[in-house]
Amino acid sequence: MMGDPKEAGAEASPSGAAAGGGLSLLSQADSEEPSAQGSALFLGGNEVKSRAVVKYSSAPPRAAFARLEEKTDLKLPPANWLRESAKLGPAGTTILGNSKKSKPFSSFGMAYDFIDSVGNDVDVVSDSENIKKLLKIPYSKSHVSMAVHRIGRTLLLDELDIQELFMRSSQTGDWTWLKEFYQRLIDQKWQRKKKSKEHWYQKAILSKFLYYSINGDGAAQPVPSSAEQQESSSSHQAHESEGASWPAPFEMPSSVSEDPSASSQGLKNDFVRNILWTFEDIHMLVGSNMPIFGGGRYPAVSLRLRDNNKPINVLTGIDYWLDNLICNVPELVMCFHVNGIVQKYEMIKTEEIPNLENSNFSTKVIKDIAQNILSFLKSNCTKEGHTYWLFKASGSDIVKLYDLTTLCEETEDKYQNPFTMPVAILLYKVACNMMMKKNQNKKHYGTIRTLLLNCVKLLDKSRHPQIIASANYMLSELFQLDEPKKEESSDSPLNENSDESYSEEEEEMADSDENGSYSTSSDPADDNKAVAIIKSVGELSVPEKYKSIHQIRPSCAFPVCHDTEERCRLVLSYVLEGLKSVDSSIKKESDLPAADPSTPIPLKYEDESTRGGPEGLEKQMALFLDKMGSLQKGSCSGQSGMTPGSWQHKMKLQLILKSSKAYYILSDAAMSLQKYGRALRYIKLALQSHDTYCCLCTNMLSEVLLFLSQYLTLCGDIQLMLAQNANNRAAHLEEFNYQTKEDQEILHSLHRESSCQGFAWATDLSTDLESQLSVSCKCYEAANEILQFSDLKSQNPEHYVQVLKRMGNIRNEIGVFYMNQAAALQGERVVSKSVSAAEQQLWKKSFSCFEKGIHNFESIDDATNAALLLCNTGRLMRVCAQAHCGAEDEFKREFSPEEGLYYSKAVDYYLKALRSLGTRDMHPVVWDSVNWELSTTYFTMATLQQDYAPLSRKAQEQIEKEVSEAMMKSLKHCDVDSATARQPLCQYRAATIHHRLASMYHSCLRNQVGDEHLRKQHRVLADLHYSKAAKLFQLLKDAPCELLRVQLERVAFAEFQMSSQNSNVGKLKTLSGALDIMVRTEHAFQLIRKDLVEECDQPKSDEATPAADCSPNLNREEVIKLLSIFESRLSFLLLQSIKLMSSSKRKMSSNAEEDVVLQTNKQIYSQLLRATANRNSTLLERIEVVICLLEQLASGSSRSSGSAAP
C-alpha cells in the first residue's frame, strides 16, 4: 500500500489491520487519547492548526510500552506473538502488526458509521494511509492510484489497487475494459510486481518488536524452523491476496433499507479508531490503526523501529509527523536496531519531527499541498455517483484524474463498476439520515433530492427494487402535499441552494482556462480521456495554486412547484416508480388480473334503477361499515400474495397511502377551482388507493382512519356541489371520465391487490339529483361512523365538528328537496282532490331529515344552524297546511282543523328557532328571517280564518277574537322600525294588518245590533286601525292603490256613522271629516299620476301606442275601479254637504265662512259632474282633474274655520 518499501514502506507504521471487533463509543473516563479538544502545534516557527477528536475507538485502555534491553534479538518471536491478551482488548492482534491490507471500500465503512458527517460537515473521508500518500506526492516517486467519490460536499478516497483489480479481471472477466485502457494509455507492459523478501523480513521484526513492547517479561521463544518461516511468508501472501475483498459488482448489503448499520463483505469499518481531524480549514474523517502506548513524558507516544544503518528520510519524517498529528500524539519513541538486535531508544516531540537531520521539511508546504489537492479534487470530481480515478504513474510528475463511470458506460455493461453499489447505498443512507432531520432543516431538501436521484440512476431496476422503491418513496415525501401557499413563494427556504454538489442534469465543467495549472488535453494524444491533469507535482507546493476554483457552483435547488397540482403530480410520478419496483419484485401469480397498464380501466356507471337507488346505497353502506369493523381486528390480505411484514408489503402500503393523500389534495384543489367532475375523479382514485390499503393492512392506524374520514367528507362535498350544479353536467362528466396514463398505471398496481370497489357507492357520477344528495349524505354518515370506531372523535374535535355540520347541512338540503317536491305535487293536484299518499310520504321524509339535521347541529352547540332547520321545519308545516286547504271545494271553503293544527305546529317550530338563537345579537340576519316567517304564519292563519271563517264550527265572535289575536301576534313579530332591507315589506305587512283589522271591526259594527258598549269599542278600534293603516301606506311609494282603498273605506265608515246621526250639525261635522279624508287621498293620486307619466314617457319612439294604455306596472283596472268609486263618493259627499249647508242657511242667520265653503263645494261639484260626464277623458286626464279638485277643496277648507278635524 505504501508503494516502494525502500522509500517509506519499511519505516512507516503498519498499514491498517483488518480483524477487530465492533466499534464501541468511548466514555470520557477511558478515552485513550490525550485530549479530546485537539491541539495547535507550533512547528518549525510556522503555526499549523491541527485538531483531532477521536469519535470511536475499539482499542483497549493504553498500556505503557516496555523498554527492551539492549542486545534483545527481535528475530526471535516473543511468547505472546500473534496471540490475544487482555491488554490487547477486542481489537485483538490488529493493532500490533498482524498486517492485512486495508479494504478497497474502507472509506465507505466509515461513512456508513458516521453518516451525519457525510455530505455536509466533512471534506474528506479516508484511511490515514491514503491521506499521507496524497500529501507526499511532490516528495515521492511512488505511484498513486485512488478511487474518488463525491457525496454532497464530501469526497471519499479509497486505494484503487490496479494490480489486485487486474488479478481479479483475469479470473472473472470483470474490469477488462479498464485493463485494456490502462495498458493502452499508461503502462504498456503491465505485469504484477511481487514483494521482496526484505519487505516480509521488515514486517516480521516490526510485529515481534511491538509484541515485545507490550510484554514486560520479554520471554523469547526459539526461532521458527524454515518450514514455519515459509508458512508465515505464504500466509502473508494469502492475506495480501484476500485482503482486497472486492465484492461482486452486483452484491447488495442485506436489508439495507431496514437496518442502517447493515454491512456486507468489504463495507465494514475496520479501523481501530476513527478520528475527526481538522488540518487548517480542511475537515477530515480519518481511519487509523497506529499503535499508541503510554509511559513516556506524555500520556501517549507512538513507537517506531528504525534500522540504525539507514538514515531517516523526508518521506518517513512526513509519515511519522502526520500519524502523530492525526492521532493527536505529542511524542515519538524510536527504537534503533542493527540486524534485529536492539541498540538504543530516542524520544522526539512531534513538533520536532520536521527538523530532524536528513528529514527536514516545511509544514507550511504540507498545508499548501493539502489545500491544493482538495481544491483540485473538489473542482473536478463534480458528479455524484461517479467513480473518479486519481492516478500518478511510478516515477512520473504528472497526476491525472479519470471519470471511470463515463469510461465504463462506453462498454456493454455499465454495472461492471464494483463501486456502483457501495456508492448508491451511501447516497441512499446519507439521504435517509437527512430525511430524519427534514423537519428541522428544510433547506436540505434540494440536497436530499439530488442524492436520491443520483442513487436511483446508479442502480439497475431489476436487481435492486427495494432501494429504488424506498428512494422513490423518500422523493415523494420531500414534497409537502398540504403545505401552505406562502411556502411556494420565491423566498421559501426550499429554494435555497444548500450544497456544493452537482446533480447529473445540471453539471458544468469547471472553467479550466482561467488557471493554467491543469488541462483536459495534454501533449500525448491519448490523454484526452482524462477529466483533469496536474502537469507537474511541483505545482502542488505553490500556495493557493488551485484556490480560484475551490468554490463550486451550488446546484441543489429544490424544484419550485407553481401550484398544488404540479406538486402532487411530481409526488405521484415518484409513487408510480416505487410501485413498479415493488410489483416487479413480486412473483406474478397466475390468478392475477391480466391488465395492461396502457389500457384504460373501464369505469362503471350504473343506472339508478339497477343500483337500487337509496335502498341499494343502504346495503352498500352496511357492507362498508362491516368491513371497517373487520379492519379493526386486522383480517385483511391482498391478492398478489405479498407476505405481511415483507419489505414489499411495508413499502407498498406506504406508497399507496402517499398516492391516496396526493389524490385527496388534487381533489381538494379541483374542488376550490369548481371543477367538480375532476374533483370526483381524483377523490375516486384516493378512495381506491385507500381501499387497496385496507386490503393489505393488518393493523389499521388511527391516523389512516382519520384520512379516510377526511376523504369521505370531501367526497360528500363534491357530490353536493355536483347536485347543485346540475346545469353543467356534461362538462363534469367529461372531466370525470378523463384519465392520465400515470393514473392508469397506478390503478393497475392497485388492482393487483384489490378490486378497488369498496367505495364505488360513494364515487359514481349520478344523473339523478335525489341520488346525488343521498350519496353525499351517506359519505358524511360514513365519515362520522369512522370517527366513532376509535378515539378519533375526541382526538380530532375540529374535524368531528365539520363532519356533523356537513351532515346537518346535507340533511337540510335533502329535507328542502323533499319539501319542494311535495309542494310541486300539491300544485299539480286538482283542487277538490284530497292529499295523496305520495305527498304524505314526502312530508315524512322531509321531516325526518330536518329532525336529524337539527339533532346534528344541537350536538355541536350550533344554535344558528339549528334555528335555520327549525325554521325550515316550520315551513314544511305550512306546506302541509296549504295542502289541506287546497283539498276542499272553493265555494264551500272553510278554514279546516288540519290547517289550524299544521299552522300551530309551524308557529311552535318558529318559536323554538327563536329560543335556540336566544337574542337578536347572536345572529341578526337569521333572527330577522325567523321573525318574519313567524309573522307571516300568524298573518296567514288570521287571513284564512277571516276570509274562510269556519262558521260551521265556531261562533262569529270567537272567530273575530282569534283573528284579532293572530293579527296582533303577527304585528308583534313584524319589525317596522329597523332600517333593514326587509323594512318596506314589514311596513306593508303592518299596514295590511291594520287595514284588515279596521275592515273587520267596521264589518262588525255594520252587522251587530244591541250591545252599545261593544259597538262603541268596535267604532274606536276601526277608527284607530284605519288611521294607522293610512299612515303606514303613506310611507310606501309603491302602494298608492292600497292607500286609496283604505281612505275610501274610512269615508264609507264616516258615511255609515252619518246615517245613524239625526242632527244636521252632527252630520255636517261628519261630512266635513269625510271630505278632509278625501283631501288626504291627494298623495295617492300624485303617486299614480307619477307612475302613469313615467310609463307614458318611455315608449315615445313608438307613436302607435296610445298614452292611456301604457301603465304596465300599475294595476290599471284596479285604479279605474277605485277612481270611479272615489268620484262617486266625492260627488255624493259634496252634494250632501251642499244640501245640508243650504238648508241650515235658510234656518239660521248668514255666516260668511260657511258661504265660502258652500260656494267652493258647489264649484267643485259642478266641475266634477262635467268631468265625469266626459267619456273621452284618458285615465291620466281624469287623475289630473281629481288632483286639481282636491287642491281646490283643500284651499276652501283651510279658509273655513269650521272645517272638521279628522
Side-chain angles (χ1 to χ4, degrees):
M1 189 166 162
M2 295 304 301
D4 187 349
K6 289 180 184 171
E7 289 183 73
E11 296 91 342
S13 65
S15 56
L23 300 180
S24 59
L25 181 61
L26 281 176
S27 67
Q28 196 63 37
D30 63 9
S31 168
E32 64 160 82
E33 305 311 326
S35 165
Q37 301 306 310
S39 58
L41 303 177
F42 296 87
L43 309 167
N46 296 320
E47 183 183 352
V48 175
K49 294 176 197 158
S50 171
R51 181 174 186 270
V53 178
V54 177
K55 302 288 277 184
Y56 283 89
S57 173
S58 60
R62 223 170 3 257
F65 74 93
R67 187 185 286 263
L68 304 185
E69 295 180 9
E70 277 188 48
K71 308 299 182 189
T72 300
D73 188 352
L74 296 177
K75 293 191 288 294
L76 299 176
N80 65 346
W81 192 40
L82 304 182
R83 291 179 191 167
E84 293 185 13
S85 81
K87 290 181 182 179
L88 297 178
T93 54
T94 301
I95 307 172
L96 302 180
N98 181 12
S99 174
K100 189 162 83 171
K101 224 169 166 38
S102 111
K103 305 245 175 115
F105 299 108
S106 60
S107 70
F108 288 89
M110 271 192 286
Y112 291 170
D113 282 344
F114 299 99
I115 210 80
D116 268 343
S117 305
V118 177
N120 194 14
D121 309 324
V122 171
D123 295 297
V124 176
V125 178
S126 187
D127 182 349
S128 61
E129 297 300 319
N130 294 335
I131 302 282
K132 292 190 293 182
K133 192 177 283 192
L134 280 179
L135 298 185
K136 291 189 295 188
I137 282 179
Y139 300 94
S140 169
K141 294 292 181 189
S142 296
H143 86 284
V144 174
S145 174
M146 287 188 200
V148 185
H149 296 92
R150 183 187 191 95
I151 307 288
R153 59 165 278 186
T154 304
L155 296 175
L156 274 67
L157 306 179
D158 292 279
E159 186 185 12
L160 188 60
D161 189 332
I162 294 293
Q163 295 183 354
E164 177 64 35
L165 265 185
F166 296 162
M167 281 281 289
R168 176 188 174 84
S169 174
S170 57
Q171 294 164 10
T172 64
D174 295 337
W175 292 86
T176 48
W177 59 274
L178 183 58
K179 186 174 181 180
E180 289 166 12
F181 171 74
Y182 180 78
Q183 288 174 337
R184 189 169 71 251
L185 289 188
I186 295 152
D187 193 345
Q188 300 286 341
K189 299 172 183 175
W190 174 82
Q191 57 178 6
R192 182 163 177 81
K193 295 173 184 173
K194 291 188 177 179
K195 303 283 185 184
S196 64
K197 282 188 179 180
E198 173 67 14
H199 171 82
W200 297 116
Y201 166 72
Q202 293 292 348
K203 273 196 172 300
I205 67 163
L206 172 63
S207 175
K208 291 168 191 172
F209 164 67
L210 290 171
Y211 272 91
Y212 270 120
S213 298
I214 63 157
N215 192 35
D217 57 15
Q221 293 292 321
V223 179
S225 67
S226 57
E228 286 174 324
Q229 188 76 22
Q230 191 67 36
E231 188 185 325
S232 168
S233 171
S234 63
S235 74
H236 274 303
Q237 287 174 7
H239 275 313
E240 190 77 12
S241 59
E242 284 169 16
S245 304
W246 288 89
F250 312 127
E251 189 167 356
M252 171 177 151
S254 58
S255 12
V256 67
S257 54
E258 282 92 353
D259 182 5
S261 63
S263 57
S264 178
Q265 182 190 22
L267 299 178
K268 220 165 139 192
N269 185 352
D270 283 328
F271 296 103
V272 172
R273 63 184 69 78
N274 301 123
I275 299 154
L276 200 56
W277 180 40
T278 306
F279 185 57
E280 284 297 310
D281 60 345
I282 304 169
H283 303 285
M284 292 176 265
L285 182 63
V286 181
S288 170
N289 289 325
M290 184 177 79
I292 301 176
F293 294 87
R297 288 170 296 177
Y298 295 95
V301 296
S302 58
L303 208 55
R304 303 287 182 174
L305 185 65
R306 292 290 307 162
D307 189 332
N308 213 12
N309 297 328
K310 294 179 183 173
I312 195 168
N313 63 19
V314 172
L315 292 171
T316 310
I318 292 173
D319 226 35
Y320 292 173
W321 181 69
L322 287 172
D323 267 333
N324 276 16
L325 277 192
I326 290 168
C327 295
N328 212 18
V329 174
E331 195 169 32
L332 165 70
V333 174
M334 221 172 319
C335 174
F336 292 93
H337 75 97
V338 175
N339 295 325
I341 308 298
V342 173
Q343 301 296 312
K344 62 173 179 174
Y345 279 84
E346 191 175 321
M347 303 190 95
I348 304 162
K349 286 184 180 177
T350 300
E351 61 265 36
E352 293 168 1
I353 296 173
N355 302 320
L356 290 178
E357 192 182 346
N358 299 322
S359 169
N360 54 338
F361 57 89
S362 165
T363 57
K364 193 89 170 64
V365 170
I366 302 291
K367 180 200 78 171
D368 291 335
I369 293 167
Q371 288 172 335
N372 280 328
I373 288 176
L374 181 66
S375 292
F376 173 76
L377 291 175
K378 278 208 168 184
S379 300
N380 296 294
C381 302
T382 53
K383 299 177 187 176
E384 267 184 329
H386 280 226
T387 299
Y388 292 90
W389 179 29
L390 186 73
F391 180 79
K392 180 176 89 71
S394 213
S396 168
D397 271 356
I398 299 171
V399 182
K400 297 175 185 177
L401 185 72
Y402 298 94
D403 182 347
L404 290 189
T405 303
T406 307
L407 293 172
C408 183
E409 281 170 355
E410 293 168 7
T411 66
E412 288 179 12
D413 186 357
K414 71 170 183 174
Y415 298 107
Q416 270 212 358
N417 177 355
F419 281 103
T420 300
M421 195 61 211
V423 172
I425 292 170
L426 186 56
L427 288 166
Y428 173 79
K429 282 181 176 255
V430 173
C432 281
N433 185 60
M434 286 183 167
M435 282 290 280
M436 300 288 190
K437 305 169 184 173
K438 66 175 182 174
N439 293 333
Q440 297 131 22
N441 215 344
K442 285 192 173 183
K443 72 176 185 181
H444 285 146
Y445 277 19
T447 310
I448 295 170
R449 178 174 171 271
T450 307
L451 290 166
L452 291 170
L453 288 174
N454 286 326
C455 166
V456 169
K457 204 172 294 174
L458 286 174
L459 298 172
D460 181 359
K461 288 182 181 179
S462 60
R463 289 166 175 158
H464 309 295
Q466 185 177 1
I467 301 182
I468 287 175
S470 183
N472 276 298
Y473 174 67
M474 280 198 285
L475 281 164
S476 75
E477 278 286 278
L478 287 175
F479 294 85
Q480 296 299 100
L481 287 173
D482 50 354
E483 69 190 17
K485 288 194 166 54
K486 63 179 180 182
E487 288 194 25
E488 293 169 23
S489 65
S490 56
D491 3 76
S492 162
L494 296 185
N495 301 333
E496 290 176 14
N497 296 323
S498 56
D499 211 293
E500 296 174 350
S501 63
Y502 283 65
S503 70
E504 187 80 35
E505 300 83 22
E506 296 163 332
E507 96 257 350
E508 280 178 13
M509 288 300 296
D511 184 1
S512 58
D513 295 335
E514 65 184 60
N515 188 318
S517 56
Y518 69 95
S519 162
T520 51
S521 61
S522 182
D523 293 338
D526 290 329
D527 283 348
N528 60 8
K529 296 276 186 186
V531 173
I533 294 172
I534 298 173
K535 291 176 181 172
S536 167
V537 291
E539 292 178 350
L540 293 172
S541 306
V542 180
E544 299 192 2
K545 178 72 177 172
Y546 293 93
K547 193 68 176 173
S548 61
I549 52 168
H550 185 45
Q551 295 302 318
I552 306 295
R553 175 177 65 83
S555 61
C556 277
F558 197 71
V560 180
C561 295
H562 297 291
D563 58 19
T564 307
E565 181 150 7
E566 189 181 343
R567 189 164 60 239
C568 291
R569 278 283 155 211
L570 259 173
V571 167
L572 288 168
S573 69
Y574 293 130
V575 166
L576 177 57
E577 287 306 312
L579 287 172
K580 282 179 177 175
S581 293
V582 174
D583 291 342
S584 69
S585 71
I586 303 168
K587 288 179 183 174
K588 293 178 175 60
E589 301 289 334
S590 57
D591 59 346
L592 276 183
D596 176 9
S598 61
T599 308
I601 291 166
L603 300 165
K604 296 179 182 173
Y605 305 106
E606 297 176 5
D607 185 67
E608 298 318 310
S609 57
T610 61
R611 210 175 64 180
E615 292 74 21
L617 204 56
E618 291 288 349
K619 289 176 189 170
Q620 289 175 311
M621 268 292 294
L623 287 170
F624 159 72
L625 292 174
D626 284 346
K627 183 178 178 182
M628 292 311 299
S630 70
L631 279 180
Q632 298 296 301
K633 299 166 196 160
S635 58
C636 299
S637 62
Q639 297 172 357
S640 67
M642 283 191 298
T643 313
S646 65
W647 75 263
Q648 288 103 329
H649 185 259
K650 290 178 183 174
M651 184 52 64
K652 193 152 190 178
L653 274 175
Q654 293 301 315
L655 289 164
I656 289 171
L657 191 59
K658 193 73 183 178
S659 74
S660 75
K661 286 184 199 171
Y663 283 127
Y664 168 71
I665 300 293
L666 279 170
S667 179
D668 195 39
M671 179 79 170
S672 60
L673 294 171
Q674 299 180 350
K675 303 283 186 184
Y676 304 122
R678 188 193 306 172
L680 186 62
R681 168 164 54 91
Y682 283 137
I683 203 67
K684 179 170 186 171
L685 286 161
L687 286 167
Q688 284 176 319
S689 299
H690 207 287
D691 189 30
T692 309
Y693 185 92
C694 295
C695 287
L696 292 175
C697 189
T698 52
N699 185 21
M700 186 67 75
L701 296 169
S702 60
E703 178 197 14
V704 179
L705 281 173
L706 177 63
F707 289 149
L708 180 54
S709 179
Q710 289 169 341
Y711 298 170
L712 286 165
T713 305
L714 180 60
C715 189
D717 292 349
I718 295 164
Q719 291 283 14
L720 176 57
M721 295 315 294
L722 284 165
Q724 291 176 349
N725 290 269
N727 54 345
N728 207 9
R729 198 184 297 278
H732 295 320
L733 186 63
E734 189 180 342
E735 283 178 347
F736 179 65
N737 289 338
Y738 174 77
Q739 260 194 327
T740 65
K741 186 169 189 298
E742 197 173 65
D743 294 342
Q744 288 168 19
E745 290 183 345
I746 289 174
L747 201 51
H748 173 64
S749 179
L750 299 179
H751 274 284
R752 288 171 60 91
E753 312 301 335
S754 155
S755 65
C756 300
Q757 292 299 307
F759 298 98
W761 56 269
T763 54
D764 279 346
L765 180 54
S766 170
T767 54
D768 175 60
L769 181 60
E770 181 184 355
S771 176
Q772 283 178 321
L773 291 172
S774 185
V775 167
S776 178
C777 187
K778 293 297 172 195
C779 285
Y780 296 137
E781 285 172 10
N784 185 42
E785 286 287 343
I786 289 162
L787 292 176
Q788 313 298 328
F789 275 128
S790 51
D791 201 22
L792 284 172
K793 188 167 73 172
S794 55
Q795 290 168 5
N796 304 277
E798 286 180 19
H799 178 60
Y800 177 64
V801 167
Q802 284 303 314
V803 170
L804 281 183
K805 271 194 176 180
R806 283 168 161 81
M807 276 171 70
N809 178 54
I810 191 65
R811 282 168 170 164
N812 179 48
E813 291 284 340
I814 297 172
V816 169
F817 171 77
Y818 287 137
M819 179 166 67
N820 291 341
Q821 275 199 325
L825 274 181
Q826 183 185 314
E828 293 165 8
R829 197 176 66 213
V830 179
V831 174
S832 59
K833 200 173 174 189
S834 61
V835 178
S836 66
E839 275 181 82
Q840 290 179 331
Q841 193 61 34
L842 288 167
W843 295 344
K844 283 178 186 173
K845 284 183 179 179
S846 180
F847 181 74
S848 171
C849 288
F850 287 140
E851 205 171 34
K852 288 176 184 173
I854 291 163
H855 176 70
N856 292 147
F857 286 126
E858 283 176 348
S859 66
I860 53 170
D861 300 324
D862 189 343
T864 308
N865 280 317
L868 282 170
L869 263 76
L870 284 163
C871 190
N872 276 343
T873 314
R875 193 175 137 217
L876 174 66
M877 296 300 111
R878 282 159 62 194
V879 168
C880 297
Q882 285 162 16
H884 283 90
C885 94
E888 295 178 29
D889 189 346
E890 191 65 29
F891 297 108
K892 301 173 186 175
R893 171 99 168 84
E894 274 193 5
F895 184 70
S896 66
E898 290 82 7
E899 285 178 83
L901 176 68
Y902 281 118
Y903 278 122
S904 298
K905 283 184 177 180
V907 165
D908 289 343
Y909 282 113
Y910 288 130
L911 289 171
K912 274 186 192 173
L914 288 178
R915 282 199 296 275
S916 174
L917 287 170
T919 61
R920 185 175 186 271
D921 297 340
M922 176 120 175
H923 202 297
V925 176
V926 176
W927 176 274
D928 290 347
S929 179
V930 175
N931 243 338
W932 173 253
E933 294 295 334
L934 181 56
S935 170
T936 305
T937 307
Y938 278 128
F939 178 72
T940 308
M941 280 173 75
T943 306
L944 288 170
Q945 276 185 294
Q946 194 176 12
D947 294 350
Y948 305 102
L951 292 167
S952 62
R953 293 183 291 111
K954 292 181 182 177
Q956 180 74 32
E957 292 80 5
Q958 176 68 20
I959 294 168
E960 286 168 4
K961 186 184 173 189
E962 286 178 9
V963 168
S964 177
E965 283 175 0
M967 286 291 191
M968 293 314 290
K969 284 177 180 173
S970 177
L971 209 52
K972 177 188 166 189
H973 293 285
C974 190
D975 182 7
V976 292
D977 301 319
S978 300
T980 61
R982 203 180 263 123
Q983 191 182 27
L985 274 176
C986 291
Q987 288 171 338
Y988 186 88
R989 164 77 52 78
T992 307
I993 290 170
H994 284 302
H995 180 198
R996 277 186 162 267
L997 284 171
S999 298
M1000 185 178 77
Y1001 291 127
H1002 184 180
S1003 174
C1004 292
L1005 205 58
R1006 280 175 181 277
N1007 300 328
Q1008 276 178 353
V1009 193
D1011 191 344
E1012 193 56 41
H1013 172 71
L1014 194 60
R1015 285 174 64 79
K1016 187 179 178 183
Q1017 194 179 1
H1018 283 165
R1019 190 183 299 118
V1020 171
L1021 285 170
D1023 197 40
L1024 173 70
H1025 286 300
Y1026 274 135
S1027 176
K1028 286 186 175 179
K1031 276 183 185 173
L1032 284 165
F1033 278 131
Q1034 272 183 320
L1035 293 173
L1036 299 166
K1037 293 178 181 176
D1038 54 355
C1041 292
E1042 287 83 346
L1043 176 57
L1044 193 53
R1045 189 180 292 108
V1046 169
Q1047 298 292 40
L1048 286 171
E1049 282 191 27
R1050 287 180 80 185
V1051 170
F1053 183 58
E1055 289 177 17
F1056 172 71
Q1057 284 179 294
M1058 191 175 72
S1059 66
S1060 61
Q1061 288 174 326
N1062 298 319
S1063 72
N1064 284 353
V1065 176
K1067 285 184 177 180
L1068 261 175
K1069 191 175 180 183
T1070 306
L1071 271 173
S1072 181
L1075 283 169
D1076 193 44
I1077 291 169
M1078 285 296 205
V1079 168
R1080 293 185 185 203
T1081 58
E1082 187 190 345
H1083 175 69
F1085 284 116
Q1086 293 281 14
L1087 289 174
I1088 292 169
R1089 188 184 73 164
K1090 186 183 171 189
D1091 284 348
L1092 287 170
V1093 169
E1094 280 178 3
E1095 287 163 9
C1096 291
D1097 285 347
Q1098 283 172 5
K1100 273 186 178 176
S1101 57
D1102 187 1
E1103 292 175 4
T1105 308
D1109 296 327
C1110 56
S1111 51
N1113 292 341
L1114 279 171
N1115 185 340
R1116 194 162 177 273
E1117 288 179 10
E1118 179 83 354
V1119 172
I1120 292 168
K1121 181 181 168 187
L1122 287 170
L1123 182 59
S1124 300
I1125 295 169
F1126 182 87
E1127 287 170 343
S1128 72
R1129 293 338 292 157
L1130 181 59
S1131 174
F1132 170 77
L1133 289 173
L1134 285 169
L1135 181 59
Q1136 290 300 316
S1137 171
I1138 292 164
K1139 281 179 181 178
L1140 282 170
M1141 289 178 92
S1142 297
S1143 65
S1144 67
K1145 189 179 176 187
R1146 283 197 295 271
K1147 290 177 184 176
M1148 299 171 70
S1149 57
S1150 175
N1151 184 320
E1153 287 178 358
E1154 283 187 7
D1155 287 348
V1156 172
V1157 172
L1158 184 59
Q1159 288 305 315
T1160 305
N1161 287 0
K1162 282 181 178 179
Q1163 286 174 9
I1164 294 169
Y1165 183 61
S1166 170
Q1167 288 175 35
L1168 181 60
L1169 286 175
R1170 281 198 295 273
T1172 50
N1174 184 3
R1175 299 289 180 190
N1176 298 323
S1177 300
T1178 63
L1179 182 59
L1180 185 58
E1181 287 167 351
R1182 287 173 68 188
I1183 297 283
E1184 284 175 339
V1185 166
V1186 167
I1187 291 171
C1188 178
L1189 294 176
L1190 289 176
E1191 284 172 352
Q1192 289 177 42
L1193 192 59
S1195 61
S1197 297
S1198 65
R1199 286 199 298 272
S1200 169
S1201 59
S1203 60

